[in-house]
Amino acid sequence: MLTIGFDAKRAFLNYTGLGNYSRSVITSLAQNFPEHQFILYTTKEKNNNRTAKLSQLNNAMVVTPKFPFFKSAWRSRFVVPTLQQHKLDIYHGLSHEIPMGIQHTNIKTVVTIHDLIFLRYPQFYKSIDRKIYEAKFRNACTNADVVVAISEQTKRDIIAYFDIAAEKIKVVYQSCDDIFKLSNDDVQRQAVKLKYNLPEEYLLTVGTIEERKNLVLLAKALKNAPKHVQLVVVGKQTTYAEKVKQYLAAEQLTARVHFLENVSFNDLPYIYQLAKIFVYPSRFEGFGIPILEALHCGVPVIAATGSCLEEAGGPYSIYINPDDANGLSEQINLILNNSDVANDMVAKGKIYAAAFTEARQAQQLMDIYLDLMRV
């Protein structure tokens, strides 16, 4: 039996990308390998419908700091004596970090690196944030026994930016939440359509509305799509959203674009299912989980070249240059006007997405842990 610890802060406190990944890893490992003990270290425990599975695991326990102050310092450094007291075999930092000094213990360490976008596109980040991220990420990659990258693109970046040996890095693809794999429910789908006042036919994009996500390209392509086809944008708005809205107003497209924030996670699969096409023109991602969600929901996908999105979308999705609005509009119209193309993309996309399972992710991670214990 192994005792494996996780940095579970984001599993309990983050309800988007890094949180979804952390919950997926912890629950899939605990459920698929009940013979092992898992300890979840978090600065704060929250119990809600998103974290319920964590509290229901029979072979997992949650540990929080005993003192109310300096919780971030506990997580990044002072947790190490507690890890030793618990006689951990392995500690896995699920989001770019391992505690300072853990390399001087007998605990084996693994860290997951999701992306190094802050180094590739520094203009999108504050200087102080870049310095903090680089110090934490570099420390983790240098001192961990194994680095898990969530895509081949991220692996290449870790090698390029941090000069980490390729053999130290293992690529383990993510899955997405099982909620996106459920069968269609016409009643619930119509209820969601009414709840959010969704148009009859729409393109969909999901993700924070920030410059890197390149929403303005999709807005430009919308001009050349049929006038009855609209665009639904699901995601938190940043200052970049105002730039997009200014463009929409100037081009008289405002009425054709619907911005949705604070969408219920349980409603999101139906918003995908109702879409004609999912478009993800992001200039750079670590993996692109929304693409996988769309494929599971039976939606044709168009994404951008230049990072790892081909890994998420597979060979049956369509990829365009992130600066080519005309190319994007051509591909949108191809799918909208050709049901055979759309149906083929949906059928083959579902088959491709089916390979990304939590069970497979759990097995690959457990293989890494067991190999570490043999060293």
Side-chain angles (χ1 to χ4, degrees):
M1 184 189 81
L2 296 179
T3 302
I4 303 168
F6 295 103
D7 175 4
K9 174 188 174 182
R10 287 186 169 84
F12 283 101
L13 305 180
N14 181 304
Y15 306 123
T16 55
L18 294 180
N20 291 339
Y21 173 80
S22 298
R23 286 184 292 276
S24 171
V25 166
I26 293 167
T27 56
S28 62
L29 280 165
Q31 290 169 352
N32 283 279
F33 299 98
E35 67 273 24
H36 300 299
Q37 176 70 31
F38 301 93
I39 305 179
L40 318 183
Y41 299 91
T42 177
T43 53
K44 185 177 181 181
E45 182 178 5
K46 280 190 176 181
N47 294 307
N48 52 47
N49 63 331
R50 299 297 299 282
T51 64
K53 286 184 179 179
L54 299 174
S55 304
Q56 295 166 2
L57 299 171
N58 294 326
N59 53 339
M61 61 179 284
V62 180
V63 175
T64 57
K66 295 180 179 179
F67 44 86
F69 306 109
F70 307 113
K71 291 182 178 181
S72 61
W74 175 80
R75 172 175 170 259
S76 62
R77 180 183 295 271
F78 298 120
V79 71
V80 173
T82 304
L83 308 182
Q84 292 177 293
Q85 291 170 12
H86 292 153
K87 298 181 179 179
L88 289 192
D89 295 298
I90 294 169
Y91 179 89
H92 188 162
L94 295 171
S95 52
H96 312 119
E97 300 179 54
I98 57 173
M100 300 288 289
I102 194 172
Q103 67 269 26
H104 303 305
T105 70
N106 293 324
I107 301 169
K108 303 288 187 179
T109 52
V110 178
V111 66
T112 295
I113 302 295
H114 297 262
D115 63 69
L116 297 181
I117 296 172
F118 67 95
L119 292 175
R120 187 174 281 273
Y121 291 96
Q123 66 271 29
F124 297 150
Y125 296 82
K126 296 178 181 177
S127 175
I128 185 63
D129 290 339
R130 293 199 309 270
K131 291 177 181 178
I132 292 171
Y133 295 159
E134 182 169 5
K136 288 182 176 181
F137 287 33
R138 187 181 294 276
N139 170 72
C141 289
T142 300
N143 291 307
D145 294 298
V146 174
V147 178
V148 170
I150 65 167
S151 67
E152 292 290 345
Q153 177 64 59
T154 297
K155 178 178 179 177
R156 291 192 292 270
D157 282 353
I158 294 167
I159 295 169
Y161 286 105
F162 294 152
D163 196 27
I164 302 298
E167 57 269 21
K168 183 177 177 177
I169 307 167
K170 309 297 181 184
V171 175
V172 179
Y173 287 122
Q174 304 171 249
S175 178
C176 65
D177 197 283
D178 284 344
I179 196 171
F180 296 98
K181 305 169 190 177
L182 300 176
S183 300
N184 291 347
D185 182 332
D186 287 333
V187 173
Q188 186 61 33
R189 190 161 52 235
Q190 290 306 309
V192 167
K193 183 179 179 181
L194 290 172
K195 178 178 179 180
Y196 295 99
N197 194 26
L198 297 173
E200 286 298 319
E201 295 188 37
Y202 62 87
L203 312 175
L204 174 67
T205 192
V206 175
T208 302
I209 306 171
E210 57 186 327
E211 190 166 356
R212 173 173 55 87
K213 301 289 188 180
N214 200 22
L215 179 58
V216 75
L217 184 83
L218 182 47
K220 291 177 179 179
L222 185 65
K223 285 196 302 181
N224 296 319
K227 296 295 186 288
H228 69 279
V229 175
Q230 301 185 33
L231 171 63
V232 173
V233 181
V234 177
K236 179 182 177 182
Q237 298 189 30
T238 68
T239 54
Y240 173 72
E242 292 307 313
K243 182 187 296 186
V244 176
K245 290 177 181 179
Q246 288 173 10
Y247 173 84
L248 295 174
E251 299 294 331
Q252 298 182 330
L253 292 169
T254 301
R256 293 178 64 188
V257 182
H258 308 259
F259 291 91
L260 302 180
E261 281 194 86
N262 302 315
V263 169
S264 165
F265 188 69
N266 291 332
D267 293 338
L268 189 54
Y270 302 104
I271 296 176
Y272 275 111
Q273 291 173 19
L274 286 160
K276 290 294 183 182
I277 306 171
F278 179 73
V279 187
Y280 203 61
S282 178
R283 294 186 179 279
F284 205 89
E285 296 292 327
F287 181 63
I289 282 291
I291 290 177
L292 208 54
E293 294 169 349
L295 293 178
H296 277 297
C297 289
V299 187
V301 169
I302 302 175
T305 58
S307 60
C308 61
L309 300 185
E310 293 91 341
E311 294 180 63
Y316 309 111
S317 296
I318 292 174
Y319 305 94
I320 49 88
N321 184 300
D323 293 307
D324 186 3
N326 289 332
L328 176 55
S329 62
E330 287 174 4
Q331 297 303 323
I332 288 171
N333 288 328
L334 170 68
I335 297 172
L336 290 175
N337 296 326
N338 193 321
S339 60
D340 289 340
V341 170
N343 292 337
D344 189 58
M345 290 178 69
V346 167
K348 291 178 178 177
K350 281 190 171 184
I351 293 171
Y352 180 79
F356 295 81
T357 66
E358 288 192 335
R360 181 182 180 186
Q361 172 186 244
Q363 184 62 64
Q364 290 177 315
L365 290 173
M366 184 54 66
D367 289 343
I368 290 170
Y369 300 157
L370 294 174
D371 285 346
L372 263 180
M373 297 308 297
R374 297 187 186 105
V375 176

